[in-house]
Amino acid sequence: LPSTLDIGLASPTGIEFGTQSQFPPQFKRALFVADWAYGRILAVHLKPRGASYTATSELFISGRPLNVTDFAFGPDGAMYLITGGRSTQSGLYRISYTGPKLDEQPKSAAELAQEIEAKAARELRRKLETFHRQPAATNTVGALELIWPNLGHTDAWIHHAARIALEHQPLQTWQARALSEKNTGIALTACLALARNGSPEIESALLDRLNNLSFSSLSETDQIRALRIYEVACARMGRPDAQMLSAIRAKLEPLYPSSTWPLNHRLCVLLVYLQSPFVVGKTLQLARDTDKAEDLMQYLFYLRYVKEGWTIAQREAWFDLLAGAERQQGARDYYSVLKRVRDDFVARLSPAEREALKPWLDGTKVVSLRLNTNSIPGQFYREWRMSDFDLTQPLRGRSFSNGKAALTKGQCLLCHRFGNEGGSIGPELTSVGSRFDRHAILESMVDPSRVIDDKYRNTMFHLKNGSSVTGLIEREDSQKVFVRENPLSESLVEVRKETIIRREPSSVSPMPLGLINILTRDEILDLLAFLGSGGNADYSAFKR
């Protein structure tokens, strides 16, 4: 199903409709969404569309910091919100409207007609949803009379509700009908239900039904639905026989590559599964033609499953593309997944291929750091303490350029990303001023171990031989735990689970103590202002 609204990166906490507020009409109808990480509350304006809604959003309130943890509307119609989290100072705010009373604007005839149509669609969806449970035997025929025509409904929410309802009806009452249905829209939805619920005995009939479709006459949405049925049928009913695999390959190979990335992503997965001899060359070309990290991850991820048919030139092209993917900006897991993809790819190389690709195997590594300056760390200045700073005074007249330089001089960018540069070992800093005040930010530099984000906390393993291993868990399986002791190193320590006495969270931050001690007072204050600004040179701290 489609999303109602994409608002980008966020850390959502409370949500609340403005129905009980004394706000102006457009906000009384709005859904308010709190975002802890980026210090804001958005007002989401919903508009009926079919059996669901579409939406737009606007910034209602923001602050640096305004780490909203929850909010509610009080009996006076004002919004009450609280801030805090991660051992920071909490706050209670009230937001009220003091302007003139505004009346609801009358709706146009077109808007009223659209609302009536949308209400009818929602009622139909809800009626279909009443069948989302096992039916009484006497209700099956009546249920199918409502369900079946709506399997081909143009509204995604309605045909989805109809499919789920169909899956709750006895399979023998609709299996043959699904395979013989002439209406393509109805057939696709019914066949997906059949792929999810049918037995392996009908797999060939189901796949024949798909192979007889004219893909060129289908919309992109219906093509994606058909490809999804192929996937689900093969995954749930078992790998088809060689003759059927050949027939599916003949059907899908001419479609690849397609003109859109959603189709290409699905076709790539299926053609790798089908062991198409053309999938390596076509997919490598698609990967060369894109600069999107999502595409590179998709194509590199699935090409590693192709065991045969590679040329040395194609293997080299794969490593080239991997190096390009490693230069993209991403979160920590992005780079760790790329490394595992590389390890799996290398594990499938033959001895002859390993020898031919030796330069690539020796020289390729994950590159998660890009700095735009050649500044080098400074010398020890003094051991700073919180008591050395009076943060009750505003940070006015600070230097944007010096604050940015201090970010590099203090080695922050080795582990943290700010904007489009830096590493991914520690928390992202671009929005740190939206969720933490300058006292909390400075405290994390002076005493990194006081508050540790659990996502970045090391684990200590106590072993039976009396030794211990401390680091970040990269991954683990049933027998081993793979631990990164040095966050700046690619090497992992393998700890066998049978040797572990106990594991416990480390109370020591991965961030070394004393990094701030190479900065002067002014550099620290400029850095605090720079972090608080989110990289915005117009931030008031940089103006006298």
Side-chain angles (χ1 to χ4, degrees):
L1 288 171
S3 61
T4 302
L5 176 68
D6 294 330
I7 61 171
L9 291 173
S11 178
T13 48
I15 64 171
E16 191 83 19
F17 273 98
T19 313
Q20 303 302 317
S21 73
Q22 40 52 307
F23 292 170
Q26 72 268 32
F27 292 115
K28 286 180 72 71
R29 295 192 305 269
L31 172 65
F32 293 92
V33 180
D35 177 6
W36 181 84
Y38 290 88
R40 58 182 179 163
I41 294 177
L42 299 177
V44 176
H45 304 288
L46 294 159
K47 183 179 180 181
R49 183 175 66 181
S52 184
Y53 295 85
T54 184
T56 58
S57 69
E58 65 174 308
L59 182 63
F60 180 69
I61 187 173
S62 65
R64 304 192 68 88
L66 192 73
N67 43 355
V68 187
T69 57
D70 206 355
F71 67 97
F73 288 97
D76 59 352
M79 176 188 285
Y80 290 84
L81 66 95
I82 53 173
T83 63
R86 300 251 182 240
S87 299
T88 60
Q89 175 63 50
S90 185
L92 171 64
Y93 296 82
R94 180 179 63 197
I95 302 173
S96 57
Y97 174 69
T98 58
K101 179 175 172 52
L102 299 175
D103 295 325
E104 184 84 33
Q105 293 296 314
K107 295 176 181 176
S108 67
E111 288 174 324
L112 291 172
Q114 185 182 35
E115 286 194 357
I116 293 172
E117 182 181 347
K119 182 180 179 182
R122 291 196 300 274
E123 289 175 350
L124 174 57
R125 172 174 59 81
R126 289 169 182 155
K127 189 171 183 180
L128 288 164
E129 289 169 349
T130 63
F131 297 106
H132 290 186
R133 55 183 178 268
Q134 295 304 322
T138 55
N139 292 339
T140 299
V141 174
L144 283 176
E145 289 179 357
L146 174 66
I147 292 169
W148 202 261
N150 286 304
L151 294 172
H153 203 288
T154 55
D155 188 294
W157 291 84
I158 291 177
H159 76 237
H160 177 270
R163 177 176 64 78
I164 302 300
L166 181 65
E167 292 182 13
H168 283 82
Q169 308 308 307
L171 183 63
Q172 67 272 16
T173 64
W174 57 271
Q175 176 175 290
R177 189 175 179 181
L179 293 171
S180 61
E181 175 61 51
K182 301 301 183 184
N183 181 288
T184 302
I186 293 175
L188 285 172
T189 308
C191 285
L192 179 56
L194 192 56
R196 287 164 49 86
N197 295 272
S199 63
E201 288 73 22
I202 58 98
E203 182 179 25
S204 292
L206 177 59
L207 294 175
D208 277 335
R209 180 73 176 87
L210 292 174
N211 287 340
N212 289 328
L213 289 173
S214 173
F215 267 73
S216 61
S217 64
L218 298 180
S219 66
E220 179 184 350
T221 299
D222 283 346
Q223 289 185 51
I224 292 174
R225 291 167 67 193
L227 296 177
R228 179 62 182 154
I229 299 169
Y230 278 116
E231 290 181 357
V232 175
C234 293
R236 297 195 178 199
M237 297 177 173
R239 189 173 181 84
D241 59 34
Q243 183 177 356
M244 180 58 73
L245 289 173
S246 178
I248 300 174
R249 276 198 303 269
K251 185 74 176 179
L252 300 185
E253 281 174 344
L255 305 176
Y256 189 60
S258 178
S259 59
T260 68
W261 69 262
L263 280 171
N264 284 329
H265 281 203
R266 300 268 55 80
L267 285 165
C268 172
V269 175
L270 275 165
L271 290 173
V272 168
Y273 173 81
L274 295 167
Q275 298 177 334
S276 167
F278 305 107
V279 70
V280 171
K282 290 183 176 182
T283 306
L284 288 174
Q285 188 57 54
L286 278 172
R288 291 188 191 98
D289 293 340
T290 186
D291 57 0
K292 292 171 55 180
E294 300 94 318
D295 289 340
L296 289 170
M297 175 67 83
Q298 173 81 358
Y299 299 138
L300 293 168
F301 186 95
Y302 284 100
L303 280 177
R304 68 180 167 147
Y305 293 116
V306 180
K307 298 178 181 179
E308 300 176 349
W310 291 85
T311 66
I312 294 299
Q314 287 174 332
R315 295 283 195 188
E316 290 177 341
W318 188 93
F319 280 113
D320 256 341
L321 291 164
L322 177 68
E326 290 168 344
R327 288 191 291 271
Q328 296 274 355
Q329 284 290 343
R332 181 180 60 188
D333 286 349
Y334 171 77
Y335 300 107
S336 64
V337 169
L338 282 178
K339 185 178 186 303
R340 292 181 65 182
V341 167
R342 180 185 185 275
D343 291 343
D344 287 350
F345 187 78
V346 171
R348 289 182 168 88
L349 297 177
S350 67
E353 287 175 324
R354 286 175 180 272
E355 183 61 31
L357 296 166
K358 196 171 187 302
W360 298 95
L361 301 181
D362 294 341
T364 304
K365 66 178 181 178
V366 172
V367 180
S368 60
L369 175 66
R370 292 191 298 174
L371 303 184
N372 296 332
T373 176
N374 294 319
S375 299
I376 59 174
Q379 301 299 313
F380 176 82
Y381 184 78
R382 64 168 291 180
E383 185 176 345
W384 291 107
R385 303 180 185 277
M386 291 297 295
S387 57
D388 295 326
F389 298 89
D390 179 10
L391 297 181
T392 62
Q393 301 301 313
L395 292 173
R396 290 201 180 99
R398 306 314 310 178
S399 168
F400 180 89
S401 59
N402 289 347
K404 186 176 182 180
L407 193 69
T408 301
K409 183 179 177 181
Q411 303 183 71
C412 308
L413 292 179
L414 286 174
C415 299
H416 302 276
R417 186 172 67 183
F418 191 96
N420 62 354
E421 59 179 322
S424 61
I425 296 169
E428 196 260 3
L429 296 181
T430 312
S431 62
V432 70
S434 298
R435 56 185 180 269
F436 298 119
D437 60 22
R438 56 179 179 265
H439 182 278
I441 295 173
L442 178 61
E443 189 173 60
S444 68
M445 300 180 196
V446 174
D447 185 7
S449 297
R450 185 179 184 278
V451 178
I452 305 173
D453 187 334
D454 288 338
K455 296 191 297 295
Y456 302 96
R457 186 187 293 273
N458 283 335
T459 300
M460 178 179 288
F461 296 87
H462 298 273
L463 309 181
K464 292 179 180 179
N465 63 7
S467 65
S468 64
V469 174
T470 301
L472 194 67
I473 298 175
E474 189 77 15
R475 64 183 187 274
E476 63 179 294
D477 54 33
S478 59
Q479 296 181 333
K480 297 178 182 178
V481 183
F482 298 85
V483 181
R484 189 184 301 278
E485 290 186 300
N486 180 355
L488 297 176
S489 171
E490 289 302 312
S491 62
L492 301 177
V493 176
E494 297 183 11
V495 181
R496 298 194 64 83
K497 290 188 173 180
E498 63 190 26
T499 68
I500 300 173
I501 298 175
R502 71 178 187 277
R503 63 171 81 182
E504 59 186 10
S506 173
S507 60
V508 179
S509 172
M511 178 176 168
L513 184 66
L515 291 179
I516 195 176
N517 295 337
I518 64 173
L519 302 178
T520 67
R521 181 187 300 276
D522 277 335
E523 286 175 325
I524 293 170
L525 295 177
D526 290 339
L527 176 58
L528 287 175
F530 180 77
L531 292 173
S533 76
N536 179 8
D538 293 329
Y539 186 60
S540 60
F542 305 121
K543 298 179 179 179
R544 295 191 180 275

